[in-house]
Amino acid sequence: GQNIDQPTEMTATEGAIVQINCTYQTSGFNGLFWYQQHAGEAPTFLSYNVLDGLEEKGRFSSFLSRSKGYSYLLLKELQMKDSASYLCAVMDSNYQLIWGAGTKLIIKP
Amino acid sequence: ETGVTQTPRHLVMGMTNKKSLKCEQHLGHNAMYWYKQSAKKPLELMFVYNFKEQTENNSVPSRFSPECPNSSHLFLHLHTLQPEDSALYLCASSQDLGGGSYEQYFGPGTRLTVT
């Protein structure tokens, strides 16, 4: 079966760095997405990785290792507004997104 | 604002009611999706439309009936629902299907409660 695993909840301190991991087992691979979802709001796109390596976009970076079935989202200089759920999703061989259950990130002052 | 709107934002309905959810995208996208989001569970893909044609129906019960009259509008018709159908229903759109870099844009969702 297809499976995406990510931690249920993480806590970090304002100004710090946090890494949210995602491991996957899917039938085929056409890229990995990270989305941010604030409570009561729509998920919004953060990043897309299809090749191994690190993609940096401001305070957020996303890493992919296809051989390990592993990705992480790195958030630097954390701000209170970063408190949200972070969703990992993999596009399979049928170009359908397979979603993880999300990681709820709590930022403390 | 993501360019995808959904109405209503909240809906409470009895098990014998019939209601419809509406989604509209203003992005010129060709693909539209319905997802179900339950607490602490992954997003569940329900239906996919590409150029108004349904391409996926992921074993969704027949009490959910989608309709896509054009590439900008998507409906989800609901009838004789069960309490376990209570969830957040999200609509999304993307430029096209396939081509992995086409990120999906989500609407704010309809919070459905079945009593």
Side-chain angles (χ1 to χ4, degrees):
Chain A
Q2 309 204 88
N3 195 48
I4 310 284
D5 285 317
Q6 51 181 131
T8 302
E9 187 174 297
M10 299 182 70
T11 302
T13 305
E14 190 177 15
I17 299 173
V18 70
Q19 177 175 311
I20 302 174
N21 295 325
C22 171
T23 58
Y24 63 88
Q25 289 179 306
T26 57
S27 54
F29 180 84
N30 280 300
L32 185 144
F33 295 79
W34 284 96
Y35 281 78
Q36 179 191 59
Q37 186 176 23
H38 286 100
E41 297 183 13
T44 55
F45 169 77
L46 288 177
S47 68
Y48 170 72
N49 294 70
V50 67
L51 299 176
D52 289 352
L54 188 68
E55 294 279 343
E56 296 187 76
K57 193 183 292 186
R59 293 189 298 114
F60 293 7
S61 302
S62 56
F63 172 83
L64 175 67
S65 169
R66 288 172 297 171
S67 62
K68 295 182 179 178
Y70 168 70
S71 172
Y72 66 74
L73 181 69
L74 190 72
L75 291 74
K76 303 177 184 177
E77 302 169 13
L78 286 170
Q79 302 175 10
M80 298 303 292
K81 67 179 182 180
D82 297 330
S83 292
S85 288
Y86 291 86
L87 311 179
C88 174
V90 172
M91 187 162 281
D92 69 8
S93 55
N94 293 320
Y95 294 101
Q96 285 197 22
L97 281 179
I98 311 300
W99 295 83
T103 299
K104 183 178 180 180
L105 178 63
I106 300 168
I107 309 297
K108 295 185 174 180
Chain B
E1 285 292 330
T2 62
V4 182
T5 58
Q6 289 186 244
T7 54
R9 293 293 307 275
H10 300 272
L11 178 63
V12 179
M13 60 185 290
M15 289 190 284
T16 58
N17 290 159
K18 289 185 180 180
K19 296 286 184 184
S20 295
L21 310 184
K22 179 182 177 182
C23 174
E24 183 174 0
Q25 57 98 357
H26 311 275
L27 301 168
H29 288 169
N30 298 314
M32 296 187 77
Y33 311 79
W34 278 117
Y35 284 95
K36 176 183 179 182
Q37 188 175 36
S38 302
K40 300 185 179 181
K41 289 187 176 181
L43 282 170
E44 298 175 45
L45 179 64
M46 301 176 71
F47 301 104
V48 181
Y49 278 82
N50 193 36
F51 290 98
K52 304 187 300 177
E53 299 297 321
Q54 185 175 311
T55 61
E56 292 292 335
N57 174 347
N58 283 359
S59 303
V60 179
S62 59
R63 57 186 184 269
F64 295 92
S65 174
E67 179 189 359
C68 188
N70 54 61
S71 293
S72 299
H73 294 86
L74 187 63
F75 295 88
L76 188 63
H77 304 299
L78 315 172
H79 64 98
T80 60
L81 295 191
Q82 304 298 311
E84 60 265 29
D85 297 323
S86 298
L88 181 68
Y89 288 84
L90 290 165
C91 174
S93 71
S94 64
Q95 184 61 56
D96 280 299
L97 290 182
S101 62
Y102 293 138
E103 69 263 30
Q104 294 180 13
Y105 293 77
F106 286 83
T110 295
R111 175 67 63 186
L112 174 67
T113 304
V114 181
T115 60

